[in-house]
Amino acid sequence: MEFVDSHVHLADHAFDADRDAVIQRARSTGASALVCVGESLDAARRSRELAERFPGVCYHTAGVHPHDAASFDPARDLDGIRAEVGRGAVAIGECGLDYHYDHSPRDRQRAAFGDQLALAAELRRPVVVHTREAEHDTRAMVEEAGRGGVLGVLHCYTGSVALAEAALAVGWFVSFSGIVTFKRWSADDVVRVVPDDRLLIESDAPYLAPVPHRGKRNEPTWVSLTAERVAAVRGVHPREIGARTASNARRVFGLA
Ligand SMILES: [Zn+2]
Ligand SMILES: [Zn+2]
């Protein structure tokens, strides 16, 4: 089954011992591209090194995660992200709002997210957005950015149908992770509401391994299990989900 892993933290130290083997396994099970997410400038640099070593397979993004928004320095960090885009980063992020963990004060999260959305508008790049228990503010900021022409992805989506629909209405994409295979997942309605041409799938590895690998270190090869679950909910063949989401990923990120 062909697929694109639209969101993987391959630069994470969890992969230091066997990163090349993980990429090889993903390739041999159908991954045609891996979007390696830089959730910090350091992770972005290491993700870029992967993109350089595996051209046409690995791509990188650059941003500052909401968990780290308290230490976001606009001058330094926007310059750093801009430089990564100059070196081929396909998107800005992940950035966003996480009011579940609240690792950074919410006003700092909004400021860092807003600055990255503005940079996305300036550089005409899509954004990869993390949102958790921050629906009201996410919706307002995504709608404003969307009206300004910014495209993006709500990644690892676990939010409401209403927020998904608001993002879809401004042209955005919605990505599902292995969470849709968990026993406690009860939101198949949101998996159904995303149109075929806006749907993405992702591992978010090393986190969130799908059933039956739950609790282990996740890896991109298991995105096929998420595709199977999404396919079952939507009543289509997993291969169709793999192909459609791969083509959507290529379109939103401008992959070769
Ligand atoms: Zn995230
Ligand atoms: Zn992530």
Side-chain angles (χ1 to χ4, degrees), residues 109-186:
Q109 293 191 41
R110 287 190 291 272
F113 185 30
D115 282 355
Q116 291 176 85
L117 289 170
L119 186 65
E122 178 198 319
L123 300 178
R124 298 172 186 278
R125 283 278 141 210
V127 273
V128 176
V129 170
H130 170 111
T131 178
R132 191 154 179 209
E133 292 174 28
E135 294 231 340
H136 176 83
D137 291 345
T138 300
R139 179 175 182 157
M141 295 178 76
V142 163
E143 284 180 331
E144 193 192 337
R147 283 192 295 264
V150 174
L151 278 186
V153 175
L154 297 182
H155 106 90
C156 191
Y157 194 67
T158 57
S160 70
V161 167
L163 176 59
E165 284 178 331
L168 291 164
V170 289
W172 282 40
F173 293 68
V174 179
S175 180
F176 294 99
S177 70
I179 289 179
V180 300
T181 70
F182 293 180
K183 234 192 220 121
R184 68 173 160 83
W185 174 261
S186 60

Side-chain angles (χ1 to χ4, degrees), residues 7 9 37 39 65 94 130 155 202 204 207:
H7 189 112
H9 297 271
V37 171
E39 76 281 5
H65 197 280
E94 65 178 285
H130 170 111
H155 106 90
E202 63 174 85
D204 206 11
Y207 316 106

Side-chain angles (χ1 to χ4, degrees), residues 205-225:
Y207 316 106
L208 300 171
V211 171
H213 304 292
R214 204 170 166 195
K216 293 186 201 146
R217 181 193 71 174
N218 194 9
E219 57 176 82
T221 203
W222 294 333
V223 167
S224 57
L225 296 163

Side-chain angles (χ1 to χ4, degrees), residues 6-92:
S6 75
H7 189 112
V8 53
H9 297 271
L10 259 187
D12 192 280
H13 294 297
F15 296 111
D16 281 354
D18 61 346
R19 189 170 285 108
D20 287 17
V22 167
I23 294 171
Q24 205 39 56
R25 263 198 299 281
R27 298 266 287 146
S28 67
T29 51
S32 57
L34 305 165
V35 179
C36 301
V37 171
E39 76 281 5
S40 66
L41 285 174
D42 187 48
R45 178 184 52 74
R46 287 182 284 113
S47 299
R48 166 164 46 83
E49 288 164 6
L50 286 172
E52 288 164 356
R53 282 183 52 225
F54 297 91
V57 175
C58 292
Y59 296 86
H60 82 293
T61 76
V64 175
H65 197 280
H67 289 344
D68 303 318
S71 55
F72 182 80
D73 173 341
R76 178 196 63 202
D77 292 328
L78 293 174
D79 264 10
I81 297 168
R82 199 180 267 112
E84 287 299 339
V85 169
R87 295 178 182 126
V90 296
I92 290 167

